[in-house]
Amino acid sequence: GRTNPINVYLAYNLKNANVYIEDSGIGIEKQNIKFIFNNFYRVNNSDSINDSGYGLGLPIVKAIITSLKGAIFINSTFNKGTIVKIIFKRWNY
């Protein structure tokens, strides 16, 4: 199969710590992005037809991030790649 590197970045300021996860894979079509955090949702395309999974990974990730009072956003361009942004409020000690 083909391999696509995944880049992970961390950026922070006085208010937030942001994690960016970026790939140059097949991406997600715009009409599917609104569903990817739904339990058991799987995008059907020719590249994922043989992938195993139950469509629970992203809903679990979102639940964990939300329980930590964070937020997750996904920006994707089909056939170009995906950027996931996770935002956590910084704690003041």
Side-chain angles (χ1 to χ4, degrees):
R2 71 180 187 195
T3 59
N4 295 308
I6 296 174
N7 299 307
V8 179
Y9 306 97
L10 174 64
Y12 60 91
N13 57 35
L14 292 175
K15 293 182 178 181
N16 300 320
N18 302 323
V19 179
Y20 298 89
I21 304 162
E22 178 181 79
D23 73 25
S24 58
I26 191 164
I28 305 165
E29 292 176 312
K30 281 204 183 304
Q31 69 267 20
N32 293 324
I33 289 178
K34 61 185 169 193
F35 301 112
I36 62 173
F37 293 114
N38 293 354
N39 288 336
F40 307 112
Y41 183 77
R42 295 188 61 209
V43 175
N44 291 320
N45 61 45
S46 61
D47 278 12
S48 68
I49 198 97
N50 294 321
D51 289 347
S52 62
Y54 297 99
L56 292 172
L58 284 173
I60 291 170
V61 166
K62 184 173 184 176
I64 292 168
I65 291 169
T66 302
S67 74
L68 296 170
K69 308 226 183 306
I72 183 169
F73 303 94
I74 296 195
N75 188 344
S76 189
T77 303
F78 191 63
N79 285 327
K80 198 165 185 185
T82 302
I83 299 173
V84 177
K85 180 179 181 181
I86 303 169
I87 301 173
F88 295 104
K89 297 287 183 201
R90 290 192 60 180
W91 296 356
N92 294 321
Y93 293 102

